[in-house]
């Protein structure tokens, strides 16, 4: 088959890219390793930056988000004896939304299927070919085991950390930077009304804990655990006791309930460069991973998809050689867009990476400030000094607020 853009992976990056391209009249084919049920049930992130929400709304995927998403105007930072509220609207005029990645993916899959553009689930043996030429291709076996080949203008590698796209870039041309943390998060989903109106990020000598939520009746909570810890050693009673201890605050009580899901996620920072090689463009977790503390992974994937879509759309305007209506309804000369389109594709990797590294720093900083590593009193006092600074300096709080709610796409 022939298409303009072959997209590998139907996670947030691939699905958002497909939607933005379709809305601009550009054809794509998406291939996904897993089943529809699997990708729609995969429990992951829960916080959407304001820019992510606006992008979903502007592209016709905001209806359920507007009905069911919970707008949060701040967070709580906690350490023993203190629970401080940071008011994002006051600090930077922006908010975040609580809406699970499962729901985002469900909305994006439904929108994709509604467009009639191809989306193949349960593919296997995905491979990219001829990425250094003008005729790149993707091959795969479809769910019935039939061999398929997609000829395209370019390939978007949106297949996450374990995908096939990043390894297709020759090692001699790539570079990775990585940090593994000696801890992970034990996360639970519980049938329990949230005991807080906004998220609580808690520093505690036993380790970090966080209280998030999915709806007025479902809570999502996390505990820092050692990398070597096993899920079977954490029965429900032990989890609730530890959460109550680490999140404990005078006059406050944690509501408990049946645990619907639990899992342990290791934590790492990872950035692979370049994000483009020939006709292969990487987006989202295929190119970078952040620890979850800053709630950036999903939002970064969406930001990459937006930057890549803008570059592809502008470069198509060049080929079409037809006058294009710009956002301000002013007719622009095709030649102007032509130059801009090629420039955007050429500079995609650099523009995306600049923002990726900013978010990588923020996620590392939030993680280092809140997690316990060893018993060094010097390190602990530095963490507490930083937390007190955030609660007493408007400038410090503003910096956290503008990073947490999301920097502009072209940052
Ligand atoms: P993915 O969502 O990984 O999507 C990639 C897709 O490609 C997948 O559907 C995969 O099945 C598919 N694929 C892989 N290989 C192939 C192939 N060979 N052929 C075809 N398709 C393929 N972020 C946060 O902000 N907060 C959190 O709390 C949080 N928790 C997380 C918990 C876990 C367990 C994990 C793994 C991640 C978590 N993240 C969190 C990160 C966040 O979920 C990711 O950053 C986000 O999913 C990235 O989106 P993506 O589309 O780039 O990649
Ligand atoms: C959630 C996950 C995060 O990584 C975070 O920082 C905040 C909330 C969540 O799953 O709700």
């Amino acid at each position: 088959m022939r298409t303009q853009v072959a997209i590998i992976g139907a996670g947030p990056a691939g699905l958002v890219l497909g939607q933005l391209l379709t809305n601009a009249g550009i054809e794509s084919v998406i291939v996904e390793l897993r089943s529809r049920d699997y990708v729609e049930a995969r429990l992951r992130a829960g916080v959407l930056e304001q820019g992510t929400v606006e992008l979903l709304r502007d592209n016709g995927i905001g209806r359920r988000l507007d009905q069911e998403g919970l707008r949060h105007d701040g967070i709580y930072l906690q350490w023993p004896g203190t629970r401080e509220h940071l008011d994002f609207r006051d600090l930077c005029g922006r908010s975040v939304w609580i809406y699970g990645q499962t729901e985002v993916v469900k909305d994006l899959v439904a929108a994709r299927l509604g467009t009639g553009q191809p989306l193949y689930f349960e593919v296997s043996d995905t491979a990219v070919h001829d990425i250094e030429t003008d005729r790149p291709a993707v091959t795969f076996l479809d769910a019935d085991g039939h061999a398929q080949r997609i000829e395209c203008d370019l390939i978007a590698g949106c297949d996450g950390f374990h995908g096939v796209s990043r390894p297709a870039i020759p090692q001699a041309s790539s570079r990775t930077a990585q940090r593994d943390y000696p801890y992970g998060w034990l996360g639970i989903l519980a049938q329990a009304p949230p005991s807080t109106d906004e998220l609580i990020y808690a520093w505690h000598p036993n380790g970090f804990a966080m209280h998030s939520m999915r709806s007025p009746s479902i809570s999502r909570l996390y505990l820092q655990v050692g990398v070597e810890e096993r899920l079977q050693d954490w029965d429900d009673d032990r989890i609730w006791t530890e959460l109550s201890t680490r999140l404990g605050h005078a006059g406050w009580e944690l509501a408990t309930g049946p645990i619907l899901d639990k899992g342990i996620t290791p934590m790492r920072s990872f950035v692979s460069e370049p994000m483009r090689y020939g006709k292969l463009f990487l987006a989202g977790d295929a190119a970078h991973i952040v620890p979850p503390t800053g709630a950036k992974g999903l939002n970064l994937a969406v930001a990459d998809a937006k930057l890549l879509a803008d570059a592809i759309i502008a470069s198509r305007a060049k080929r079409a050689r037809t006058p294009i209506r710009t956002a301000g309804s002013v007719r622009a000369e095709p030649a102007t867009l032509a130059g801009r389109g090629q420039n955007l594709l050429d500079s995609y990797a650099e523009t995306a990476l600049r923002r990726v590294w900013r978010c990588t720093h923020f996620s590392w900083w939030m993680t280092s400030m809140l997690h316990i590593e060893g018993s060094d009193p010097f390190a602990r006092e530095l963490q507490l000094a930083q937390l007190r600074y955030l609660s007493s300096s408007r400038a410090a709080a503003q910096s956290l607020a503008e990073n947490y709610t999301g920097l502009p796409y072209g940052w």
Side-chain angles (χ1 to χ4, degrees):
M1 71 191 97
R2 162 98 214 148
T3 192
Q4 290 173 297
V5 182
I7 301 175
I8 308 178
L15 289 165
V16 166
L17 177 63
Q19 187 71 18
L20 299 182
L21 295 178
T22 303
N23 288 352
I26 294 174
E27 291 174 359
S28 60
V29 174
I30 304 181
V31 297
E32 165 59 47
L33 180 68
R34 305 289 192 166
S35 67
R36 180 178 180 182
D37 284 350
Y38 185 94
V39 298
E40 290 186 348
R42 199 163 33 194
L43 201 54
R44 287 184 172 179
V47 177
L48 304 186
E49 294 174 359
Q50 181 158 327
T52 302
V53 170
E54 286 164 2
L55 180 141
L56 293 173
R57 279 185 187 145
D58 291 349
N59 285 280
I61 319 149
R63 193 181 51 79
R64 210 160 60 90
L65 165 62
D66 280 330
Q67 285 166 0
E68 298 173 25
L70 307 170
R71 194 185 93 188
H72 281 196
D73 295 338
I75 56 167
Y76 296 96
L77 287 178
Q78 176 173 317
W79 57 99
T82 309
R83 181 176 288 175
E84 284 288 339
H85 186 246
L86 297 191
D87 182 337
F88 294 157
R89 284 194 88 72
D90 172 47
L91 290 164
C92 68
R94 294 168 77 76
S95 302
V96 294
W97 271 254
I98 302 300
Y99 191 64
Q101 184 166 333
T102 47
E103 308 314 301
V104 175
V105 169
K106 278 182 209 159
D107 295 347
L108 286 164
V109 168
R112 174 75 185 184
L113 297 177
T115 65
Q117 289 277 293
L119 165 50
Y120 289 83
F121 285 107
E122 297 182 76
V123 306
S124 50
D125 287 2
T126 315
V128 304
H129 307 273
D130 305 325
I131 53 177
E132 290 171 67
T133 74
D134 283 337
R135 296 180 60 86
V138 172
T139 56
F140 64 97
L141 298 180
D142 66 22
D144 298 322
H146 298 132
Q148 304 278 0
R149 182 180 174 89
I150 313 170
E151 311 257 333
C152 54
D153 298 334
L154 61 90
I155 300 170
C158 305
D159 47 352
F161 186 66
H162 300 289
V164 295
S165 300
R166 190 180 64 253
I169 299 177
Q171 265 191 354
S173 303
S174 72
R175 183 175 78 103
T176 59
Q178 179 162 347
R179 173 74 39 99
D180 290 311
Y181 301 88
Y183 38 75
W185 276 12
L186 189 164
I188 63 162
L189 192 70
Q191 183 82 48
S195 309
T196 178
D197 55 342
E198 293 183 335
L199 272 49
I200 305 171
Y201 287 81
W203 183 100
H204 190 277
N206 290 9
F208 170 72
M210 193 181 66
H211 191 332
S212 181
M213 62 195 73
R214 286 294 177 272
S215 74
S217 57
I218 302 285
S219 294
R220 178 96 169 119
L221 298 114
Y222 297 97
L223 282 172
Q224 174 188 348
V225 295
V227 270
E228 72 295 340
E229 298 218 36
R230 298 171 318 162
L231 206 49
Q232 58 262 41
D233 295 331
W234 285 87
D235 63 28
D236 293 4
D237 279 349
R238 183 177 175 205
I239 292 173
W240 284 120
T241 304
E242 198 56 29
L243 282 167
S244 298
T245 303
R246 296 190 198 179
L247 290 166
H249 187 61
W252 179 86
E253 211 170 310
L254 178 64
T256 63
I259 293 182
L260 308 172
D261 188 280
K262 59 179 164 182
I264 293 183
T265 313
M267 284 166 63
R268 74 161 64 92
S269 297
F270 172 90
V271 182
S272 173
E273 302 184 26
M275 284 176 68
R276 176 210 182 156
Y277 185 79
K279 291 290 158 84
L280 173 65
F281 293 76
L282 303 182
D285 278 15
H288 43 74
I289 299 283
V290 288
T293 326
K296 288 287 154 240
L298 164 64
N299 294 292
L300 258 185
V302 171
D304 285 354
K306 162 73 176 151
L307 290 171
L308 184 53
D310 282 352
I312 296 171
I313 293 164
S315 76
R316 302 310 304 182
K318 169 189 181 182
R319 289 192 181 193
R321 290 260 167 223
T322 51
I324 298 288
R325 196 167 283 279
T326 60
S329 279
V330 177
R331 284 203 174 267
E333 287 301 315
T336 317
L337 286 169
R340 185 168 168 265
Q342 198 50 50
N343 286 345
L344 282 180
L345 266 185
D346 288 342
S347 60
Y348 162 72
E350 196 188 326
T351 310
L353 272 169
R354 207 177 308 130
R355 199 171 181 286
V356 164
W357 272 113
R358 174 84 287 282
C359 295
T360 299
H361 176 268
F362 178 68
S363 304
W364 165 84
W365 174 75
M366 284 279 281
T367 301
S368 312
M369 175 174 69
L370 288 163
H371 290 72
I372 301 294
E373 197 176 332
S375 54
D376 178 12
F378 182 75
R380 290 187 185 199
E381 290 303 331
L382 289 184
Q383 290 177 315
L384 292 169
Q386 183 64 37
L387 285 163
R388 287 189 205 104
Y389 181 49
L390 282 165
S391 72
S392 60
S393 158
R394 184 171 175 83
Q398 250 167 348
S399 171
L400 187 152
E402 72 172 9
N403 281 277
Y404 193 95
T405 57
L407 293 162
Y409 288 134
W411 187 86

